[in-house]
Amino acid sequence: MIGVFGGTFDPVHNGHLRVVQALVRTLPFDELRMLPCGEPAHRAPPQASAEDRVAMLRLAIAGMSSIVIDEREVQRNGPSYMVDTLTSMREELGDTPLVLIIGWDAFVGLPTWHRWPQILELAHLLVVQRPGTTTPPCREVEALLQQCQVDEVSALKTAPAGCILLHPVDALEVSSTNVRESIIAKEDVGDLLPVAVLAYIKEHNLYQ
Ligand code: ATP
């Protein structure tokens, strides 16, 4: 079973890392991939370059053996549509269960994604609860939950795609926006990021 945690990672922070570490510890993933987005389709472009965002991710996951970086979106031109990414992964993986990991805030926005009904044909969804995000699901998302929600992690291993699991994670209340704003305000962000990522940000004058 392969997990994919997509994000802008502008920059990666301890909230992201808390999620992936908790998931590899408690769920039977053979591999967990962090997938930096190249050109986000539904939001402003990232402030840091793809090269810098990947470099920070590399520093953040150094020593975490079951976590890897999948660079296909930053290497592709054009908007990073998740449906294209999952299609290319599915071609490589055959029938291996593929699990797209997203925060609740991203999940409630699913109907705005390009060709979104195809996402569950290609992967399962594992939705992690994020503190402070209580947006209720819209009608389409509610219907999807009624149709696809499962209660057991084991269900994800019985099919390549098609299930939704809501998974509580003891998440940290931090966002990349917080980090960027705090850096501009010259506040201490030492608790929000790994030391090596903060050193990289300072060295390359990012988010000033
Ligand atoms: P920004 O503030 O720039 O929107 P972000 O902190 O939300 O950034 P992203 O890289 O956009 O980070 O998020 C990638 C994924 O990580 C999304 O699915 C998001 O819901 C999830 N995520 C981000 N921060 C947390 C957190 N503190 N706890 C749990 N999930 C998180």
Side-chain angles (χ1 to χ4, degrees), residues 5-19 35 37 43 101-107 113 128-131 133 169-180:
F5 187 49
T8 319
F9 304 121
D10 189 26
V12 61
H13 54 66
N14 289 342
H16 297 129
L17 297 171
R18 168 76 71 97
V19 169
L35 175 81
C37 180
R43 54 180 283 168
I101 299 153
I102 55 176
W104 175 264
D105 55 319
F107 176 59
W113 294 18
V128 296
Q129 204 67 39
R130 180 174 175 179
T133 54
V169 168
D170 182 20
L172 290 176
E173 195 164 352
V174 47
S175 70
S176 300
T177 305
N178 279 161
V179 173
R180 294 191 303 268

Side-chain angles (χ1 to χ4, degrees), residues 30 93 106 112 135 138 170 172 174-175 202:
D30 298 304
L93 291 172
T112 63
T135 321
C138 65
D170 182 20
L172 290 176
V174 47
S175 70
K202 286 187 175 153

